[in-house]
Amino acid sequence: MGYEKTFSIIKPNAINKNVIGKIMAQFEENNLKIAAAKLSKIERSKCEEFYAEHKERPFFGELVDFMTSGPVMLMVLAGEGAIAKNREIMGATNPAEAAEGTLRKLYADSMGENAVHGSDSPTSAEREISLFFEPNEIVNE
Ligand code: GDP
């Protein structure tokens, strides 16, 4: 495990709720650093590339529509065991199954509009970070 970087997104439904700061505070309170951040809108083609592993799923179109529907906060988080720690802070994909106090329990509206994304493995983290950030944009590792 050790010191890692992971990729995180605050999704459009959470941005609508005006809780960017509350979500970032949870990362900081759990000893994750915001290594890079930008508020942005994801292009449709980029979003399809990002979620390529879900291309054949019935919800793919809905997922891409939602993720390109408004601004998102794109982040690189860094810290000891950052990948697993971020997944723990986020909670289960389905908010009905998310533990008390997790970001998805607090801010998700549904399985699709579930407030946050976090890489699920070192391979995904590397791929996802490089899709959205140039190495020189990661300024606070
Ligand atoms: P994650 O790693 O916890 O984000 O979950 P997955 O990799 O399984 O799914 C990726 C994303 O697809 C989830 O975060 C949801 O936003 C979305 N998703 C998963 N299942 C469904 C579903 O049944 N319906 C819809 N609309 N979106 C879903």
Side-chain angles (χ1 to χ4, degrees):
M1 205 163 61
Y3 195 85
E4 295 173 332
K5 281 180 286 182
T6 191
F7 180 64
S8 166
I9 307 178
I10 303 178
K11 298 187 179 185
N13 72 307
I15 303 282
N16 270 332
K17 292 178 190 198
N18 213 19
V19 291
I20 296 172
K22 286 187 173 161
I23 290 175
M24 288 173 111
Q26 288 240 24
F27 296 138
E28 293 180 332
E29 282 158 17
N30 285 279
N31 293 319
L32 292 177
K33 285 171 69 173
I34 314 294
K38 51 189 169 195
L39 192 58
S40 184
K41 270 181 107 170
I42 307 178
E43 295 282 337
R44 193 167 186 92
S45 59
K46 184 90 161 223
C47 192
E48 287 171 351
E49 186 182 356
F50 175 65
Y51 278 125
E53 69 174 296
H54 297 302
K55 205 169 50 200
E56 307 305 329
R57 305 271 198 104
F59 58 81
F60 183 69
E62 198 180 312
L63 175 60
V64 174
D65 286 346
F66 165 59
M67 290 299 287
T68 56
S69 68
V72 292
M73 178 62 92
L74 306 168
M75 287 169 289
V76 177
L77 306 178
E80 243 347 268
I83 297 167
K85 190 180 275 183
N86 181 36
R87 298 284 299 184
E88 205 179 307
I89 297 165
M90 286 164 54
T93 309
N94 182 350
E97 291 163 12
E100 283 303 322
T102 60
L103 294 174
R104 283 168 166 170
K105 180 73 176 186
L106 290 166
Y107 304 121
D109 294 297
S110 63
M111 182 87 163
E113 303 199 5
N114 60 3
V116 281
H117 166 85
S119 309
D120 63 3
S121 68
T123 310
S124 305
E126 202 174 312
R127 184 186 78 90
E128 294 173 357
I129 290 169
S130 67
L131 259 180
F132 291 99
F133 288 95
E134 298 297 332
N136 68 3
E137 292 180 301
I138 303 169
V139 291
N140 185 36
E141 275 186 71

